[in-house]
Amino acid sequence: MARMVFYDDFGEMECLAGDTLPTFEIGVELEEGETLTGYSMQLILADWGQKDTAVLCKTCTPMTEDDGFTCTLTSADTAALSGVFQMHFRMVDEDGLSQRKLAGALTVLPVPQGGGTA
């Protein structure tokens, strides 16, 4: 079984609604000869005030090196969001057991409206 380690809080991040965030790369420590075959990972966003209900759940993509996963929150993912969210990455093993790998807070701010002249 791949060694799943809980990585601490990644801190707070902030973006504007409609932003595309940089791609997250989540590594998994593997023993010699192990692969991630049968494993999956999800990026889950939950409203900070209602952490038991996901507002977004994305399946992450396995890396070609077979040592982790990547995931990107796109403009379409963040466009309708506003507020503070708990963001975490959940890894599921081949037996269906899951473990949170990485967690933190994501604040999505509304896009400022209006504007002035210089």
Side-chain angles (χ1 to χ4, degrees):
M1 174 186 225
R3 192 171 83 151
M4 293 194 287
V5 178
F6 175 77
Y7 292 93
D8 265 340
D9 183 356
F10 57 72
E12 295 183 31
M13 297 185 327
E14 190 174 281
C15 71
L16 293 176
D19 280 354
T20 294
L21 277 63
T23 299
F24 295 96
E25 293 185 0
I26 298 85
V28 179
E29 294 180 25
L30 299 171
E31 298 295 327
E32 184 71 31
E34 284 188 319
T35 70
L36 290 174
T37 301
Y39 287 75
S40 63
M41 183 171 285
Q42 298 172 315
L43 181 156
I44 301 169
L45 282 181
D47 186 287
W48 198 263
Q50 297 178 336
K51 295 179 186 178
D52 58 344
T53 304
V55 297
L56 177 72
C57 185
K58 287 190 77 161
T59 299
C60 300
T61 304
M63 287 188 209
T64 55
E65 299 84 23
D66 200 30
D67 62 353
F69 296 86
T70 64
C71 198
T72 303
L73 285 175
T74 66
S75 146
D77 296 324
T78 65
L81 299 177
S82 181
V84 181
F85 300 88
Q86 179 188 52
M87 181 166 76
H88 63 97
F89 293 87
R90 180 176 74 169
M91 186 164 169
V92 181
D93 71 13
E94 51 208 356
D95 297 322
L97 300 174
S98 68
Q99 182 178 25
R100 187 166 64 171
K101 287 274 295 167
L102 187 62
L106 173 65
T107 300
V108 182
L109 301 170
V111 175
Q113 300 298 312
T117 57

